[in-house]
Amino acid sequence: MVTLPDGAKKELKAGDTAADLAKSISEGLYRNCVGALINDQIKDLHTPLHTGDKVKLLTAKDEESLELLRHSTAHVMAEAVQSVFPEARIAIGPTIKDGFYYDFEIPEHTLSIEDLEKIEAKMKEIARENQQIVRFDIPDVDKQLDEFRKDGEKFKAELLEEHRDHNPTLYLMKDKDGKVIWNDLCAGPHLPSTKHIKAFKLLKVSGSYWRGDENRENLQRIYATAWWSKQDLDDHLTRLEEAEKRDHRKLSKQLDLFSVHEEVGPGLIFWHPNLATVRDTIEENWRKEHRKRGYQFVYTPHVASEDLYKISGHLENYAENMYAPMDIDEHPYRCKPMNCPGHIMIYKTKLRSYRDLPLRYAELGTVYRYERSGVLHGMLRVRGFTQDDSHIFCTPEQLKGEIDGIIDLIDKLMTTFGYTYKCYLSTRPEKYLGTDEEWELATSGLEEAMKDRGIDYEIDEGGGVFYAPKIDVKLFDAIGREWQGPTIQVDLNLPRRFDVSYIGEDGEKHRAIMIHRAVLGSMERFVGGLIEHYAGAFPLWLAPTQVLVLPISDRHQEFASKVHQQLRDNEIRAHIDNRSETVNYRIREGQMQQIPYMVVIGDKEEAEGKVAIRHRRDGQVGTLSVDELLAKLKSEIDSKEQ
RNA sequence: GCCGACGUAGCUCAGCCGGUAGAGCAACGGUUUCGUAAACCGUAGGUCGGGGGUUCGAAUCCCCCUGUCGGCUCCA
């Protein structure tokens, strides 16, 4: 007796499988069935059922079934690779978001694009052959180990050795006569056969390490994707192309946003005027929102004596991410990797009373960190960047309220940019500093602030850093991609190291709580992400050029210049294009520069004292007097319309 | 850092098996004065990322350096 999703019960014979269940319901369902969700776990279609099981049969329509498809396609890919390159040894091949990969060791050969085509062709062949994918319990682990070793499958042997006590299974690929063609050590689950595999594409090859360990074997990884239908695959490929078009590095060239220079060094960003305008506007807004919330702005030096980082512990724990020391008057100095010690210096210039707290220091603080050369990426992963950093010093009683205030600020700023977000609470990891009581106080402060606000959050158990529990916020952009967003940490380390304290109501000295938070993160990463989020079309309030004035011919120059000046007088970022190019040409350029508004001025407009408005998305939207235009622009700017 | 790919004019890219560079756009000069996404004619522009080697001869082949790009966490 098993239960179906609609609550119906179904009587089965002993030893019946999910496939038998499907068959008993309808032949069509059986044909389309690829697996089953048994007690909420994805299983093979041929898994025996037991009394009391909750069973949901999976077909291509079910979201969960994609996992089966991709995992099985990974096996087919591995089979194909070993068919094309018999000397290839297989490592692991899990599913990932939107696809899967498989790692191989192929002696004396590096995979090329042409190889991918060959492998794809072979995969199609395997799919067409309708090979059966059969689960097989390994009866004699030692014998199987010998088998793997004999075949040179050292990775599989290593894995089997580790999993020998966990009922290891093989998956066998069988041809129509039941002959085993290929096998892979795998926990499954899988599709019943390869006939369901119709729409897949191998995307790229790259390097990896066996078990992600750089001291171990170098492997070659093939990334691929698989979908139930050609249509789904095509849609996915189109989405990838879309994302590529939004690449901030690409848009930077079109829109003249930023650059990096070999002569200067990798990971160091030059902000061109256009992007500097965007940043400046963001920072202005950032300051305004901070002032409203009682923050005080500070500035701290960009280099500091190593003495400071000895106290902070950075030298001990963070040295590999820091720029090497420089010798100043025979004393080592470092570029600052974080702003916190600097803010603590300011705090400690006086004896603080509980009446002074909370103190909220904020700084757009530029830091330098050594990142391994291979991980640098446009503006998103760099070596020098400006954090919108703040450190709040408060009493334990104030903690929750401060967290609440930060969440309010986060919500305000993220909504301003049209991001949706999700919060994660990371709790104490295995290795940690501080006492259990401190962790409890800090963690519950974070959690309760979210609870009181009614914010949806997930808990990442043990995901905190060694010195702090934290709230991480993930952002979702215009095309649903995820970005690392704001973070709040309750630091249990630095207040102790620097003896950050205050005098309480009781006249005694108490350790202050120090909250570390960044909302935008780094200006580089945030603005880089924004470029992609908006696909280069910044909303009016952020746009580098807000209005482009276009006189139709030379006789309209004078009026056009007046309009231009009037806009500028009203703090609109306006430019005029009075080159002797056709109107069409200049409009095209304005469009390609993603300028929100163009105002066209010809005989008609001059006669009426008005301007013709063109919006980059809506095209011609009528004529307005300059005053009317100013009012329209101001309201759109003030509301920060997306 | 490691694996792989790539680096040709400001941009996008061509240049096969070695015979010392080419297009479009942009720029510049002129003509055109135009009504909502590319007017016409002309000119100039490159030590082919840097260094070394092979060769009579290297953008092209080999080595080193540098930068960029894709990955290196998602566990049979």
Side-chain angles (χ1 to χ4, degrees), chain A residues 383-615:
Chain A
R383 285 182 175 163
F385 54 96
T386 302
Q387 291 181 306
D388 71 313
D389 213 352
S390 173
H391 297 92
I392 298 176
F393 301 92
C394 65
T395 67
E397 297 73 42
Q398 292 166 334
L399 175 63
K400 203 177 102 185
E402 288 305 307
I403 304 291
D404 183 67
I406 296 168
I407 295 174
D408 182 69
L409 176 62
I410 288 174
D411 183 71
K412 172 76 187 178
L413 288 180
M414 292 306 113
T415 327
T416 302
F417 297 103
Y419 284 118
T420 54
Y421 61 87
K422 190 163 181 198
C423 298
Y424 294 82
L425 176 69
S426 299
T427 60
R428 198 182 66 202
E430 273 176 40
K431 283 175 78 175
Y432 63 96
L433 285 174
T435 66
D436 290 358
E437 296 80 64
E438 286 172 327
W439 276 87
E440 169 53 29
L441 172 80
T443 312
S444 65
L446 290 171
E447 185 159 17
E448 274 167 33
M450 286 196 286
K451 270 191 187 149
D452 287 359
R453 283 200 147 240
I455 283 186
D456 227 7
Y457 63 93
E458 261 177 43
I459 294 186
D460 180 4
E461 206 64 65
V465 277
F466 71 90
Y467 59 85
K470 57 176 181 172
I471 294 175
D472 282 317
V473 182
K474 282 187 181 150
L475 306 180
F476 299 94
D477 76 2
I479 56 172
R481 285 183 305 174
E482 213 176 278
W483 297 84
Q484 188 191 309
T487 167
I488 309 172
Q489 303 180 354
V490 182
D491 196 315
L492 302 173
N493 179 38
L494 290 179
R496 177 176 293 111
R497 293 192 83 112
F498 281 97
D499 189 24
V500 179
S501 54
Y502 64 93
I503 305 300
E505 225 170 330
D506 54 5
E508 299 288 316
K509 194 167 126 178
H510 298 273
R511 176 127 312 136
I513 301 258
M514 179 173 161
I515 307 166
H516 175 114
R517 51 110 284 203
V519 181
L520 308 178
S522 90
M523 296 311 296
E524 281 73 9
R525 180 175 288 172
F526 187 76
V527 174
L530 262 196
I531 295 169
E532 307 209 353
H533 176 51
Y534 290 128
F538 292 104
L540 186 67
W541 77 284
L542 289 173
T545 299
Q546 296 172 312
V547 177
L548 184 65
V549 180
L550 296 175
I552 286 188
S553 76
D554 287 348
R555 65 177 176 279
H556 311 113
Q557 292 260 20
E558 202 186 319
F559 182 52
S561 299
K562 251 174 67 193
V563 171
H564 178 216
Q565 194 53 50
Q566 231 176 317
L567 290 166
R568 286 192 155 178
D569 288 346
N570 284 277
E571 290 176 61
I572 301 298
R573 296 187 288 269
H575 291 281
I576 185 164
D577 185 351
N578 49 17
R579 293 176 300 170
S580 88
E581 299 284 355
T582 61
V583 176
N584 275 324
Y585 181 89
R586 287 175 288 159
I587 284 178
R588 179 181 148 85
E589 264 197 3
Q591 277 296 135
M592 291 196 309
Q593 289 304 305
Q594 308 278 16
I595 296 168
Y597 288 101
M598 285 183 256
V599 308
V600 179
I601 293 167
D603 289 335
K604 239 180 4 202
E605 288 72 23
E606 208 169 328
E608 294 173 17
K610 291 189 168 183
V611 294
I613 317 290
R614 180 193 167 95
H615 183 260

Side-chain angles (χ1 to χ4, degrees), chain A residues 98-110:
Chain A
D98 292 335
F100 60 90
Y101 66 78
Y102 213 114
D103 284 345
F104 306 93
E105 184 180 60
I106 311 177
E108 315 274 319
H109 183 82
T110 47

Side-chain angles (χ1 to χ4, degrees), chain A residues 215-398:
Chain A
N215 299 312
R216 301 211 50 185
E217 290 89 336
N218 241 307
L219 305 174
Q220 301 187 60
R221 174 172 298 179
I222 303 178
Y223 282 91
T225 188
W227 300 82
W228 287 116
S229 70
K230 177 86 171 47
Q231 185 61 49
D232 288 351
L233 173 65
D234 288 345
D235 287 350
H236 178 246
L237 296 177
T238 311
R239 277 197 299 278
L240 289 182
E241 277 171 39
E242 272 303 312
E244 219 171 289
K245 273 192 222 145
R246 288 171 175 256
D247 190 309
H248 69 289
R249 295 163 302 191
K250 208 168 164 172
L251 288 169
S252 169
K253 283 186 178 158
Q254 284 167 33
L255 304 175
D256 193 12
L257 301 177
F258 75 94
S259 56
V260 286
H261 303 268
E262 200 168 334
E263 306 87 307
V264 178
L268 302 168
I269 305 295
F270 286 77
W271 298 67
H272 296 199
N274 283 337
L275 200 58
T277 302
V278 174
R279 172 169 171 177
D280 192 45
T281 310
I282 292 170
E283 290 183 356
E284 223 171 85
N285 179 246
W286 182 88
R287 283 198 196 86
K288 196 179 93 193
E289 293 300 333
H290 279 69
R291 253 182 240 117
K292 279 189 200 167
R293 291 168 172 79
Y295 282 81
Q296 299 172 289
F297 301 121
V298 298
Y299 294 92
T300 62
H302 287 196
V303 291
S305 158
E306 278 198 347
D307 298 348
L308 179 66
Y309 300 114
K310 269 183 205 147
I311 302 172
S312 70
H314 283 106
L315 230 38
E316 206 179 309
N317 298 310
Y318 203 71
E320 69 212 32
N321 289 298
M322 290 167 73
Y323 269 66
M326 50 197 137
D327 191 328
I328 310 292
D329 290 344
E330 292 172 40
H331 197 90
Y333 279 69
R334 297 277 195 153
C335 285
K336 75 168 160 181
M338 291 187 191
N339 300 304
C340 10
H343 293 183
I344 292 174
M345 287 297 107
I346 298 175
Y347 181 92
K348 278 176 64 78
T349 52
K350 277 205 244 177
L351 192 58
R352 305 287 179 178
S353 147
Y354 71 97
R355 296 175 199 268
D356 298 330
L357 304 183
L359 274 174
R360 310 185 185 103
Y361 292 156
E363 177 181 13
L364 290 163
T366 304
V367 297
Y368 291 88
R369 295 182 188 171
Y370 172 74
E371 298 280 357
R372 298 163 123 208
S373 60
V375 304
L376 301 173
H377 181 96
M379 298 183 82
L380 303 180
R381 189 88 184 257
V382 295
R383 285 182 175 163
F385 54 96
T386 302
Q387 291 181 306
D388 71 313
D389 213 352
S390 173
H391 297 92
I392 298 176
F393 301 92
C394 65
T395 67
E397 297 73 42
Q398 292 166 334

Side-chain angles (χ1 to χ4, degrees), chain A residues 81-272:
Chain A
V81 166
Q82 289 200 309
S83 157
V84 178
F85 303 100
E87 69 283 12
R89 299 294 160 244
I90 54 177
I92 56 166
T95 57
I96 50 174
K97 187 172 186 290
D98 292 335
F100 60 90
Y101 66 78
Y102 213 114
D103 284 345
F104 306 93
E105 184 180 60
I106 311 177
E108 315 274 319
H109 183 82
T110 47
L111 291 168
S112 65
I113 306 295
E114 295 79 66
D115 294 333
L116 293 190
E117 283 163 22
K118 269 185 244 162
I119 295 163
E120 258 183 31
K122 183 70 198 175
M123 288 171 70
K124 285 189 180 132
E125 220 174 279
I126 294 169
R128 234 177 299 134
E129 278 169 19
N130 189 18
Q131 297 182 3
Q132 302 302 301
I133 309 176
V134 181
R135 185 185 177 92
F136 176 74
D137 291 303
I138 298 173
D140 183 341
V141 171
D142 289 313
K143 200 169 142 237
Q144 186 59 46
L145 275 172
D146 285 344
E147 192 101 350
F148 278 145
R149 289 190 181 121
K150 194 176 92 234
D151 294 338
E153 296 288 4
K154 56 180 170 180
F155 305 112
K156 290 296 167 189
E158 186 176 327
L159 291 170
L160 176 55
E161 192 78 67
E162 274 170 38
H163 288 271
R164 62 184 310 144
D165 299 328
H166 305 104
N167 306 317
T169 52
L170 289 184
Y171 272 80
L172 312 174
M173 302 294 237
K174 292 184 173 177
D175 67 12
K176 59 182 191 304
D177 304 323
K179 200 175 122 227
V180 176
I181 307 169
W182 191 80
N183 74 71
D184 192 352
L185 179 70
C186 182
H190 281 289
L191 301 175
S193 87
T194 61
K195 74 170 174 194
H196 302 279
I197 297 172
K198 290 169 191 148
F200 58 86
K201 185 160 176 63
L202 309 195
L203 298 173
K204 55 195 172 199
V205 288
S206 72
S208 64
Y209 303 104
W210 172 231
R211 321 208 104 181
D213 181 345
E214 58 192 87
N215 299 312
R216 301 211 50 185
E217 290 89 336
N218 241 307
L219 305 174
Q220 301 187 60
R221 174 172 298 179
I222 303 178
Y223 282 91
T225 188
W227 300 82
W228 287 116
S229 70
K230 177 86 171 47
Q231 185 61 49
D232 288 351
L233 173 65
D234 288 345
D235 287 350
H236 178 246
L237 296 177
T238 311
R239 277 197 299 278
L240 289 182
E241 277 171 39
E242 272 303 312
E244 219 171 289
K245 273 192 222 145
R246 288 171 175 256
D247 190 309
H248 69 289
R249 295 163 302 191
K250 208 168 164 172
L251 288 169
S252 169
K253 283 186 178 158
Q254 284 167 33
L255 304 175
D256 193 12
L257 301 177
F258 75 94
S259 56
V260 286
H261 303 268
E262 200 168 334
E263 306 87 307
V264 178
L268 302 168
I269 305 295
F270 286 77
W271 298 67
H272 296 199

